[in-house]
Amino acid sequence: MRRLAVVILAILLAGTCVLARQRRSEAEKRQERIQELARKLARRTAYGSPGEEQKFLHARAAALLERLKANVADAYVFGRVSRAIDDLLKASEEIQESREPERAAKPGEREKTARELQRYYFRVQQAEYFAGLSGEGESAAYVKHARALYQQGRSAFDARQYRRARKLAEAAALLVSALEKLAQARVSGQEPPRFP
């Protein structure tokens, strides 16, 4: 009987050690993720001559990164906010890439770009909804910049700059994706939303 108690105690202690190691490794993973995002942000802010949208994206990513550092305990919120930061930084990268020289259009590129822009248009239409749920003080600016980026992409399409059009419209969609993730982080742990 005593031997069984010792075995059970040893199993419980081993399980506790494993859980403590897992918690510590999760905390370490989150710290590594924060450092990775900080490095990405530093690379994006090093872009020469950032436009108005890029300045906004960098400022919001920096503010969200500070918020993320303060709240590493909630795994779901951490995941949503870190992915929102990623989306903002990827949008900045898309804008930067849109400035690269345009290459000659390939057959069917106009039609392909038109389909992509249509998809991005519908995504940008969702911006106001996610902005309302996100609770972000800058939510109206997110919507404004998403629409401006899409419109710049549409203008590039009209000028037959198809690569540029896709890059700018994708940046707009990424901005909306960031808003969606911020909205998801905000409603985390609450009652599921109801239809009106």
Side-chain angles (χ1 to χ4, degrees):
M1 185 71 125
R2 184 175 176 168
R3 188 173 184 199
L4 179 62
V6 169
V7 169
I8 292 173
L9 184 60
I11 291 171
L12 288 174
L13 284 173
T16 303
C17 289
V18 168
L19 286 175
R21 218 176 300 124
Q22 285 176 340
R23 280 191 202 117
R24 187 172 49 248
S25 69
E26 286 300 316
E28 289 170 354
K29 286 178 189 175
R30 289 183 190 148
Q31 289 304 317
E32 288 171 7
R33 178 74 170 136
I34 288 170
Q35 291 170 359
E36 173 193 350
L37 290 169
R39 284 190 300 271
K40 283 183 180 181
L41 177 59
R43 283 193 303 271
R44 298 305 182 276
T45 55
Y47 290 152
S49 305
E52 180 185 349
E53 286 83 11
Q54 282 179 300
K55 288 177 185 175
F56 172 78
L57 294 169
H58 300 159
R60 295 313 313 143
L64 289 172
L65 189 55
E66 289 305 311
R67 186 187 314 170
L68 195 62
K69 289 175 185 176
N71 183 17
V72 296
D74 187 325
Y76 181 77
V77 172
F78 183 90
R80 296 288 85 198
V81 174
S82 68
R83 287 182 179 95
I85 295 167
D86 253 341
D87 286 343
L88 295 174
L89 297 175
K90 179 67 175 156
S92 176
E93 185 178 355
E94 293 295 327
I95 294 168
Q96 192 67 25
E97 290 176 3
S98 77
R99 296 176 179 162
E100 294 173 3
E102 192 74 20
R103 63 190 190 300
K106 297 177 184 174
E109 192 166 11
R110 183 183 191 287
E111 293 77 18
K112 175 186 171 189
T113 303
R115 282 191 302 275
E116 286 186 37
L117 262 64
Q118 183 181 43
R119 190 176 79 236
Y120 294 139
Y121 169 82
F122 288 116
R123 184 64 170 152
V124 170
Q125 291 289 42
Q126 297 172 331
E128 285 188 36
Y129 172 73
F130 292 127
L133 290 178
S134 73
E136 291 294 304
E138 299 282 332
S139 62
Y142 278 86
V143 175
K144 177 187 107 173
H145 289 296
R147 289 176 179 259
L149 285 166
Y150 175 82
Q151 200 53 45
Q152 290 171 35
R154 184 61 176 86
S155 295
F157 177 84
D158 291 341
R160 299 180 184 181
Q161 298 173 340
Y162 302 125
R163 182 182 179 283
R164 178 174 167 74
R166 287 192 305 273
K167 292 287 182 183
L168 291 168
E170 186 173 351
L174 284 162
L175 193 49
V176 177
S177 182
L179 265 177
E180 179 180 16
K181 289 172 178 83
L182 293 171
Q184 291 168 347
R186 184 166 185 242
V187 298
S188 161
Q190 299 175 6
E191 290 279 324
R194 296 181 191 276
F195 283 113

